[in-house]
Amino acid sequence: MTDVWHGKQLQDAEVAWETIHYRVHDAETGALLGFGSAGGDGALMATVRHFLDVQAQHPDRQLMIRRYDQPA
């Protein structure tokens, strides 16, 4: 399937099946608030859901997520 963004055709690409290792930090203090690994077809969605869960637990904080090359 070819995707179009703002009227421009994007290059075709294959779905990535690699495992995502990540950590969620408080952007101001650097405190670690969550971490995880997700793999397979739903890896990106699982990562986003976890980030949103952490955000819901800390609504007054600005968060950042970083990807790592191995599990925590």
Side-chain angles (χ1 to χ4, degrees), residues 1-4 12-13 15 28-29 43 47 53 60-61 66:
M1 169 194 266
T2 301
D3 292 314
V4 176
D12 286 335
V15 175
E28 290 184 26
T29 67
T47 303
D53 289 344
D60 57 330
R61 296 186 183 183
R66 289 185 175 152

Side-chain angles (χ1 to χ4, degrees), residues 19-33:
T19 300
I20 300 171
H21 308 290
Y22 61 91
R23 299 177 192 178
V24 182
H25 296 270
D26 180 306
E28 290 184 26
T29 67
L32 179 63
L33 302 176

Side-chain angles (χ1 to χ4, degrees), residues 1-71:
M1 169 194 266
T2 301
D3 292 314
V4 176
W5 182 257
H6 294 287
K8 294 182 181 179
Q9 185 174 332
L10 301 178
Q11 292 181 348
D12 286 335
E14 296 294 322
V15 175
W17 295 99
E18 60 194 45
T19 300
I20 300 171
H21 308 290
Y22 61 91
R23 299 177 192 178
V24 182
H25 296 270
D26 180 306
E28 290 184 26
T29 67
L32 179 63
L33 302 176
F35 63 91
S37 295
D41 190 18
L44 185 57
M45 185 58 72
T47 303
V48 171
R49 282 188 183 131
H50 185 218
F51 179 87
L52 293 175
D53 289 344
V54 173
Q55 187 176 47
Q57 295 169 9
H58 305 280
D60 57 330
R61 296 186 183 183
Q62 183 177 2
L63 306 182
M64 67 178 177
I65 189 168
R66 289 185 175 152
R67 184 174 178 189
Y68 290 83
D69 62 351
Q70 58 187 353

